[in-house]
Amino acid sequence: MKRSFLSDPKRQIVLAMFLATFVAYVERVGFSISFTSLAQKAHLDESIKGSVLSAFYCGYGVSQIPGGWAAQLYGGRIMLILCFLAWSTVSIFTPTDPTNTVGIVFARVLVGLAQGFLIPAVHTVLALWIPPHEKARAVSFTTSGMYLGSAAAMSILPSLANAIGAQKLLAFDGAIGYAWLAFWLMVGRDAVGRKGGSLLPLSVRGGMGEKGSNGGGGIAESGVGMELSSNYNSNSTFKNSHNTVISSSSNSYSNSSNNNAVNSSTLPLGKMMTHPAIWAIVINNFSFHFGFYVVMNWMPTYFSKVIHSDLSSLGLAAKTLPYLTMFLMSNVGGWTGDWLILHHHYTVAAARKTVNTIGFITSGLMLMLMPAATGVFSGVMATTLTLGSLGFARGGFSVNNIAPRFAGVVMGVSNTAGTLSGVIGVAATGFILDSFGGASVVQGWYYAHALCACVGIMAMVLFNSFARGEKIFDSNGTEAEVDSERREMRNGSEKRERRKAME
């Protein structure tokens, strides 16, 4: 009997991860809208508003690496539950008196700390559920929830704040967090049934295969593990038991009944932090967020001082188009990478590098076009193309198979760098603009955007030089000895030869 589209447990997991990032970014934009309204009524100065709005990132940056570690030790399922429970509760009880800045700052730091566990947990979940040839699409779709959530919040929440009041908008943000948590628990029970009342084996309780050609994703126990793997290789054979055995001509996975949480003694943190392939990902994440946060945070000033048009007067389409395009192109980037692998026989590394290169070169060019815009249309289009190309680039560097068992740790370190770049990039842009006489002087924008473009291009060169597509670290914490990239190239050549022979 054929399953419906959303009855597939794997698709339910990907949808839940997409909604997790969607809801988290609705909350972030929602707080900005709510507090800005409250601060204006209380006549707070810009420095106080800036301190409150930046408090989130102080907590968010601190918890990225611990979040990755916790996701590996305890599993993505429980960390996502704790993450949403914590930040939703704090959001509901955030002080609504704008003069109580100490209380609000403390609440925002707590929300940032809690949400810092989100992305590492999401990547841990996806690494264990999604096979390598589907991973780019899954990761790109999941992370695109950030941009769609931002666009949805910008289009809906200002009107909602006017209708229910800015104070109640904070409670609304917490309520949608609880709604996602309820969905997560419901999907868990519906997606996978387990003995002993266990909720959902997002953190697979078996070891990951150490000999998959691409460092494959994890396989869940029993029937679901069998179903997920059947999509990966039609020639696979399965053994439906608590110790699932999956074998094929090119892949071998085995799951035992022990808990999947990574033992801290097997986490090769020292080796990972000195490996150039890890730093290629970290540096690219830094450069991506450097450009993204500069454009996002300085967009109102850009339209006001360079385009001479208030952002709030642009209309719904103009305000949401850049983020909607980024949402679309982040998915296109992931699909392009998978398409190059599956249909053009690119190696995993070559496909990721191709997507990454196209995205960063294009974004660099578009960044330099933004200061040259002379009207609303050209300004909106330059901004849209900049964010769209950055989204496309993310389909390259944010998807990797080099340490699938430790994906949460890799993304924790990577997102810490991304958060740091936001602080540095936004501050550096302000300094550059002031040094040229203020935001009304276009020359300052050229230099500020040139810095963003140069950071992206340098990161792209490093990624092309050091990024890898094969699994580097096995599940036991040792460096993989098999050169999977070369084996993948050899397998691709053999497939092409067989195809020619058949023709």
Side-chain angles (χ1 to χ4, degrees), residues 109-122:
V109 171
L110 292 180
V111 172
L113 283 170
Q115 288 200 16
F117 287 78
L118 172 62
I119 299 301
V122 165

Side-chain angles (χ1 to χ4, degrees), residues 202-392:
L202 292 180
S203 303
V204 185
R205 291 184 178 268
M208 291 201 46
E210 299 178 9
K211 297 181 181 180
S213 62
N214 293 324
I219 306 299
E221 286 187 89
S222 303
V224 173
M226 180 175 67
E227 180 183 2
L228 296 184
S229 297
S230 66
N231 292 331
Y232 184 76
N233 193 319
S234 60
N235 295 322
S236 299
T237 58
F238 307 97
K239 193 174 182 178
N240 187 10
S241 67
H242 289 293
N243 294 320
T244 304
V245 175
I246 305 169
S247 62
S248 69
S249 58
S250 61
N251 301 285
S252 176
Y253 301 88
S254 63
N255 290 345
S256 61
S257 60
N258 63 316
N259 195 300
N260 84 302
V262 176
N263 189 302
S264 59
S265 63
T266 66
L267 181 61
L269 191 59
K271 292 181 179 179
M272 291 173 66
M273 291 301 96
T274 56
H275 202 290
I278 298 291
W279 281 102
I281 297 170
V282 172
I283 292 172
N284 264 255
N285 203 34
F286 178 94
S287 65
F288 166 83
H289 283 96
F290 195 100
F292 174 55
Y293 284 140
V294 166
V295 174
M296 182 177 69
N297 285 279
W298 286 96
M299 190 185 298
T301 305
Y302 166 75
F303 275 95
S304 175
K305 301 298 183 180
V306 178
I307 306 301
H308 305 294
S309 178
D310 188 4
L311 186 61
S312 61
S313 66
L314 295 182
L316 179 63
K319 287 187 293 185
T320 59
L321 182 61
Y323 292 110
L324 290 176
T325 302
M326 198 172 192
F327 160 75
L328 175 64
M329 293 306 295
S330 64
N331 283 283
V332 171
W335 279 88
T336 300
D338 286 349
W339 177 71
L340 291 173
I341 295 169
L342 294 174
H343 298 285
H344 288 269
H345 309 293
Y346 276 50
T347 64
V348 173
R352 306 293 184 245
K353 291 175 182 179
T354 299
V355 171
N356 192 71
T357 298
I358 294 173
F360 274 111
I361 288 179
T362 306
S363 67
L365 294 173
M366 294 303 105
L367 279 165
M368 299 311 297
L369 286 179
M370 286 182 64
T374 57
V376 172
F377 177 79
S378 58
V380 170
M381 291 307 299
T383 304
T384 298
L385 291 173
T386 298
L387 292 182
S389 54
L390 283 172
F392 186 85

Side-chain angles (χ1 to χ4, degrees), residues 141-153:
F141 178 67
T142 296
T143 56
S144 67
M146 304 173 185
Y147 321 126
L148 190 60
S150 299

Side-chain angles (χ1 to χ4, degrees), residues 6-20 80 121-122 124-130 138 141-142 180 183-184 187-189 191-192 200-203 220 224 228:
L6 288 179
S7 65
D8 183 350
K10 184 170 57 176
R11 293 192 179 106
Q12 291 177 354
I13 298 306
V14 174
L15 176 61
M17 297 301 95
F18 165 80
L19 291 175
L80 284 169
V122 165
T124 298
V125 168
L126 294 177
L128 295 174
W129 274 82
I130 309 300
F141 178 67
T142 296
W180 181 90
F183 172 73
W184 182 239
V187 168
R189 289 195 178 92
V192 180
L200 180 64
L202 292 180
S203 303
V224 173
L228 296 184

Side-chain angles (χ1 to χ4, degrees), residues 60-72:
Y60 189 70
V62 167
S63 60
Q64 290 291 318
I65 295 177
W69 190 289
Q72 301 303 145

